Amino acid sequence: MSLQRSVTLVVLSTTLFWSGCTPEAEPSAPSGRGGRADTAAALRRLVAEAQQCQPCHPQHYEEWRISMHAYAVEDPVFQRLNAVMLQGQTVLDDQFCMRCHTPFGSLFGETVPGVSKEHLSPLVRQGISCDVCHMMALPHPAGRGVERFRLDGARIGNIGDPAPNPFHASVYEPSLSQSEACAPCHDVVNPVGVLVERTYTEWRQSLYPVRGITCQVCHMPWREEAVASGGPIRRRHSHLMAGVDVPLSDFPGREQMLEAVEYLLQNALRMTVTVPPEISRDSLLPVRVVLSNTITGHDIPTGSIFTRQMWLEVIVREVSSGRVLYESGTLDSKGDLRTLHSADVQSGRLPLDTALVLFNGTALRNGKPAFFWDAQAVEFRTIPAFDSRIALYTIRPPVGGWSDDLEVRVRLRFRALPPYLLRSLGLDGLVERLPVFDMEQELYQVRVRR
């Protein structure tokens, strides 16, 4: 998409003045046919790389630099998927992905089709950097990326009485602590006009808005410490911004992000398992699992549900021998679930897992699976906020009946990407770095009456 089609910037009047170190960066209002390009150039002179924020905001910077916001452009999965999009579609919008992964790159015309990340400027490679959020013009439309920014050089924040500083003017913007600040990129409208990712919409339709629970409550919890070096102790948001993704390539802070994601996932919903304490040798073994999404203010999973996998694993073993008598939700030799995407299932080495309970989604075009950027509709297999799903397993005894007491293990598992997708993108080397998280697990023993 051309710069003229993609850039929408605003000039906001303010009683504050730009007090930065480069007075020549003060913008003027755009005019004439070239106004939008001129406005983008004015913004380019105003924005700063994240390192320039570090001296005054060292803790913010250290959290951000290991976040998925900082990883947004570096992510090799994103890079490959964006390339597939540009190669495989009639390009309706070649900045569809970039407007969220690197808004400045899109606005400044750097992220042209085919460009490698090595040829991007340092600012653009930083993805969702400090100034993306702190110079964003709010309110901002949902679902179409970040395109509107302040041109007065001021940075917005949620502190009502910001202390003066020699680098930038500060403007109190309470909506920065509201879910609406996340809406531009955490709803996603594809080039066809379909809402393919709807995390913000899911939150808005839940009970959380009336309870005053915003996205930031869970994903940017409050910290009590100085906002700027040498400043007073205040409440500030953590900028780690953990979700469910972790870096798969070399990137700082991977272990810390793994811990943060695990904490969120293990506090996302509740699982209740019902198994009879005893059964007869010839009777069926019923296992009932209830998954209740009463904690999280959006669907589980959410976001890019086309690549998410949340599933139940149920394994029944003999206590004495450890022999597996039943399994569903287990992985094949390449780490994939035993679906039609499994190489072992395709070759006949393993049976199809017909009992698999898997939560994700499918993008559809003309009723058939498609990439989400081409989708005309989305099939959601997710658990909405404040809703539940029930899985029932009726397990038959082996020939001759149950011969010993049984151990029943139930786990709710999650990963952000399936291994077969990484291999299809030529990223085989990242499969071993793909974590599987256990969200909930229960273990039961069943006595077999003899």
Side-chain angles (χ1 to χ4, degrees), residues 37-53:
D38 293 343
T39 303
L43 178 67
R44 182 68 180 88
R45 294 192 296 269
L46 289 171
V47 298
E49 294 177 25
Q51 295 92 320
Q52 293 177 261
C53 307

Side-chain angles (χ1 to χ4, degrees), residues 3-12 27-31 34-47 99 103-109 131-132 135-141 145-152:
L3 186 63
Q4 284 71 27
R5 289 170 58 199
S6 66
V7 177
T8 307
L9 300 171
V10 295
V11 178
L12 300 181
S28 58
S31 62
R36 290 184 178 181
D38 293 343
T39 303
L43 178 67
R44 182 68 180 88
R45 294 192 296 269
L46 289 171
V47 298
R99 259 194 299 278
F104 291 143
S106 179
L107 290 173
F108 300 155
D131 279 349
V132 169
M135 292 186 72
M136 179 170 56
L138 292 171
H140 206 100
V146 183
E147 295 184 298
R148 301 173 60 244
F149 293 88
R150 303 180 67 97
L151 288 177
D152 57 3

Side-chain angles (χ1 to χ4, degrees), residues 153-169:
R155 270 64 173 181
I156 62 173
N158 52 21
I159 295 175
D161 57 340
N165 69 84
F167 184 73
H168 62 78

Side-chain angles (χ1 to χ4, degrees), residues 271 289 291 311-314 328-329 356-357 391 393 410-412:
M271 181 176 78
V289 184
L291 299 173
W311 74 96
L312 281 170
E313 178 194 77
V314 178
S328 176
L356 178 65
V357 176
Y393 300 82
V410 180
R411 292 195 290 183
L412 180 65

Side-chain angles (χ1 to χ4, degrees), residues 394-420:
T394 303
I395 304 169
R396 295 181 178 279
V399 176
W402 308 108
S403 60
D404 194 5
D405 293 350
L406 306 174
E407 177 186 271
V408 180
R409 187 179 72 178
V410 180
R411 292 195 290 183
L412 180 65
R413 315 198 78 191
F414 177 90
R415 62 184 169 197
L417 298 162
Y420 70 80

Side-chain angles (χ1 to χ4, degrees), residues 141-421:
R144 301 185 183 276
V146 183
E147 295 184 298
R148 301 173 60 244
F149 293 88
R150 303 180 67 97
L151 288 177
D152 57 3
R155 270 64 173 181
I156 62 173
N158 52 21
I159 295 175
D161 57 340
N165 69 84
F167 184 73
H168 62 78
S170 302
V171 174
Y172 174 50
E173 179 51 83
S175 60
L176 192 61
S177 288
Q178 300 301 313
S179 296
E180 286 69 24
C182 311
C185 290
H186 291 283
D187 266 7
V188 176
V189 177
N190 74 1
V192 185
V194 175
L195 182 63
V196 291
E197 296 186 24
R198 59 180 196 181
T199 304
Y200 169 72
T201 294
E202 292 163 2
W203 169 85
R204 189 163 47 84
Q205 294 174 347
S206 78
L207 297 176
Y208 273 20
V210 297
R211 294 180 178 180
I213 304 175
T214 66
C215 305
Q216 292 86 341
V217 169
C218 296
H219 298 281
M220 298 184 70
W222 289 110
R223 302 282 174 83
E224 295 283 343
E225 58 188 39
V227 172
S229 297
I233 302 299
R234 301 178 184 264
R235 274 204 325 169
R236 73 162 185 89
H237 285 297
S238 165
H239 281 57
L240 188 63
M241 298 170 285
V244 297
D245 291 290
V246 298
L248 301 183
S249 58
D250 291 335
F251 198 73
R254 174 178 157 88
E255 292 305 316
Q256 185 176 343
M257 185 59 69
L258 283 167
E259 292 177 4
V261 171
E262 183 175 58
Y263 176 82
L264 279 178
L265 288 171
Q266 291 182 349
N267 291 275
L269 52 65
R270 291 291 176 261
M271 181 176 78
T272 304
V273 180
T274 304
V275 178
E278 67 175 28
I279 57 175
S280 65
R281 286 176 54 87
D282 299 320
S283 65
L284 300 172
L285 172 64
V287 178
R288 183 176 188 265
V289 184
V290 180
L291 299 173
S292 302
N293 183 9
T294 56
I295 304 172
T296 302
H298 52 68
D299 285 24
I300 300 178
T302 191
S304 299
I305 58 172
F306 322 105
T307 62
R308 310 291 192 221
Q309 290 187 326
M310 184 177 79
W311 74 96
L312 281 170
E313 178 194 77
V314 178
I315 299 176
V316 179
R317 290 186 172 90
E318 282 185 341
V319 171
S320 60
S321 67
R323 180 165 62 103
V324 174
L325 302 176
Y326 175 87
E327 58 183 322
S328 176
T330 51
L331 306 178
D332 71 8
S333 63
K334 293 183 176 294
D336 282 304
L337 290 165
R338 291 184 287 116
T339 68
L340 294 176
H341 292 288
S342 163
D344 287 346
V345 170
Q346 294 169 8
S347 67
R349 289 189 295 270
L350 288 175
L352 181 69
D353 189 351
T354 57
L356 178 65
V357 176
L358 174 64
F359 298 93
N360 59 4
T362 302
L364 299 171
R365 185 173 185 84
N366 298 324
K368 298 179 180 180
F371 286 110
F372 62 89
W373 52 78
D374 280 332
Q376 298 167 327
V378 177
E379 181 181 68
F380 289 87
R381 294 181 297 276
T382 56
I383 308 176
F386 301 95
D387 204 344
S388 61
R389 294 292 183 267
I390 300 174
L392 298 174
Y393 300 82
T394 303
I395 304 169
R396 295 181 178 279
V399 176
W402 308 108
S403 60
D404 194 5
D405 293 350
L406 306 174
E407 177 186 271
V408 180
R409 187 179 72 178
V410 180
R411 292 195 290 183
L412 180 65
R413 315 198 78 191
F414 177 90
R415 62 184 169 197
L417 298 162
Y420 70 80
L421 175 62

